[in-house]
DNA sequence: CATGAATGAGCGTTCATTCAT
DNA sequence: AATGAATGAACGCTCATTCAT
């Protein structure tokens, strides 16, 4: 399925009633907005109210908060994952592809701010989101990293998980602070991975 | 004295009763532990229980949660701030001092894990902690950065606030994840600040 | 029917669920009783317990204590207000109507004892109740007073607000004390308003 | 003891230490002020703080709140009681003495506002204050009432307790409301007790 | 004796979750 | 299937009261 945006999403579809499908989407939209406004720990009621549905409906579609959070960010993750190979194919140098992909990744984390927080959450409840996130993005990141290493553009032994995690961390709290722009740190971090930069350490 | 840890600290002492002073410390210890376990938003009751004192005692010593959080981390911040100039004086190269100081900084954030989370908190309530944190550490970081830049060891225009913030972010959630070690990203990040690392961008 | 007691009252009714309407009434009854027993500052929990509902239910129906207090006494006030003009129309002498109306007023204050206390409360929270009380009863009292004055049955310059307030005050604490019957003071007070009683002062 | 004001008061005195006696008085003064400001349910701490003594000291002198309240108002009550016979002896007509005495009574209730509230309190805790209050003032009121009745100036069968209670009630909440002046009702009430005022009823 | 630190019951309030309608 | 009323655990906080110092 190459265009996930074009369908009501696999979370529902199937023999469902039309209004049920519609509610699903309405809830996802509402939750996404509320997560940005009030964080992913926002009162369930607030989300249901914003969606204009009853509490029970929300619970029916997303029994746990984690289900909702996961569903909300699945799109983002999917699109990001798909961009990796494409960038690699298009770029002249693998390192450029990596840089562009991370830029995209940062875009997601920063524009849909809730995500970074969600991924950060210590709670067991978001294990599913974590898992999905890693399952989908770790291979992509690894591919890019490997390609750059194979081309001799990277000397560091940084692991994909570390990199993803670190970039994610750097993006936390970006919105609330105009003095802080994660990209101004990410660029040197990437440069630091290059071969010529490692006389010390 | 150079080791503030060795004294009951100015937060209390003075004409106070012995048990009051003791309770103050017991509470700080308990809070520190609980912050790690349950985050800085842990129920007040949990902290009081862990300390083995009544609720009222906690409130007497620390009327607001922010007071408690601030007190808990004041030590750490102070010791870290004092280490900066000392390292600069002792190191051969300013960049080495910077690296060592950041290592120390990471130590604090990582061993007293709650801190990074606390600094991250969006809440207005922790403005005092933020302020104290920045007031104390920003100048130190700036001094180290300036020294390194003056020695030609740094070419990046990274600002002290950005660096501090970024390092802090990278340390978030370190404990819960054995696969993640912030230092493995911090080292390349610092290398990326050096002159020879900037042909790209 | 002319007695508002006979209907569920506009406070609820409408498309509501049957049990919600029932709870509303159950809560009002319980609150009324508890107000008498423990005053209008009785613990919220006590009222909810007496009504046999959960805490949240009480909060749902009456978000603030003032809402509950007001709702509890709205009936009383309304019925009393409506009685004024009727008595005036039926009585031979305006003064008799006034006397009868005040008798009714006392009935309300004394049988639904909490009211006098509620009106007495200094708290800002009950401003709404105060307002409603005065909005509704002051004009009635004024009308009766004016009619009696116009008929030459009253010489005193007592103002409606004073009279209402005074009668209300006299009724405070009636229940707890068998030796005290406010009517035994109210009768002379009314007599004292008549023309022939004013040689002194 | 004709001038109770001139001595530290019987509540203490005796073989006590000088500072204990002083504390007693300081506490009474502080309590009196706080009762006016914050009502007789004001936090104990507030009173101790205003008096500049420790909590334990307050509790030592006045084990219960009622003890404190009673002690605070004992002076007032005593002075009022003593004024009755004096007024009766000086006045031309017993009714005038009654009127003046009640005026005095109202003065007390209104200037030391807390009193009316205290006497009103339903709580068992203030039984002692009630008792003292009645023990001391009821006979005085009775004497004045009897004298007026004996002189044919009063026809009503109002009982001393009722009158005292009613006047007290009328004074409740006077301070907070500029529109309300209890004396404007007390005057007609007293007039209503006179013989010529009773054709109706 | 005086002090005020410590205690903890008790209150108001929020909000996740269930379930009657 | 959708609704939202009901529930009650859990939390922050206050303050009367006790008791170590």
């Amino acid at each position: 399925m190459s265009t996930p945006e074009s369908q009501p999403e696999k979370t529902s579809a199937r023999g469902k009633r039309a209004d049920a499908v519609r509610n699903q989407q309405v809830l996802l939209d509402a939750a996404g907005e509320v997560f940005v406004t009030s964080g992913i720990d926002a009162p369930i009621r607030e989300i249901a109210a914003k969606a204009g549905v009853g509490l029970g409906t929300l619970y029916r579609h997303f029994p746990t908060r984690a289900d909702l959070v996961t569903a909300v960010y699945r799109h983002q993750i999917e699109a990001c994952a798909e961009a990796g190979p494409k960038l690699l194919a298009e770029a002249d140098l693998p390192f450029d592809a990596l840089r562009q992909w991370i830029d995209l990744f940062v875009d997601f984390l920063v524009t849909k701010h809730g995500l970074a927080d969600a991924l950060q959450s210590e709670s067991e409840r978001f294990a599913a989101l974590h898992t999905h996130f890693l399952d989908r993005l770790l291979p992509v990141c690894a591919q890019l990293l490997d390609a750059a290493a194979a081309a001799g553009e990277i000397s560091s032994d940084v692991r994909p998980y570390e990199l993803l995690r670190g970039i994610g961390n750097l993006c936390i709290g970006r919105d609330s602070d105009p003095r802080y722009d994660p990209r101004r740190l990410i660029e040197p971090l990437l440069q630091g991975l290059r071969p010529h930069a490692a006389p010390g350490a």
Side-chain angles (χ1 to χ4, degrees), chain A residues 1-153:
Chain A
M1 195 195 308
S2 58
T3 51
E5 303 282 347
S6 63
Q7 297 198 3
E9 184 73 345
K10 66 212 80 153
T11 317
S12 57
R14 316 252 286 185
K16 304 279 183 136
R17 273 167 44 172
D19 59 342
V21 175
R22 198 180 323 118
N23 273 336
Q24 184 111 340
Q25 193 54 49
V26 165
L27 277 166
L28 286 174
D29 293 345
E33 287 181 50
V34 171
F35 288 165
V36 170
T37 311
S38 313
I40 58 167
D41 284 324
I44 291 287
R45 274 183 162 69
E46 190 179 332
I47 297 165
K50 180 145 221 154
V53 305
L55 269 176
T57 303
L58 198 164
Y59 273 97
R60 166 177 302 274
H61 288 289
F62 307 100
T64 73
R65 181 185 294 271
D67 293 330
L68 180 57
V69 172
T70 304
V72 164
Y73 294 118
R74 189 156 276 167
H75 264 156
Q76 314 299 334
I77 292 169
E78 193 56 31
C80 187
E82 289 172 3
K86 204 159 56 181
L87 288 171
L88 192 55
E90 293 169 358
D92 290 334
L93 296 174
F95 187 83
D96 286 341
L98 174 64
R99 188 147 60 181
Q100 288 166 31
W101 184 74
I102 282 179
D103 210 46
L104 216 52
F105 182 48
V106 171
D107 268 349
F108 284 142
L109 294 178
V110 159
T111 57
K112 302 287 174 180
H113 353 248
L115 222 193
D117 289 30
L119 290 172
Q120 204 31 247
S121 168
E122 307 272 323
S123 171
E124 280 297 295
R125 302 177 304 173
F126 297 109
L129 181 58
H130 266 100
T131 300
H132 178 72
F133 181 84
L134 294 178
D135 281 356
R136 207 63 188 83
L137 297 187
L138 220 42
V140 175
C141 185
Q143 184 185 9
L144 290 161
L145 230 33
D146 286 348
E153 292 182 294

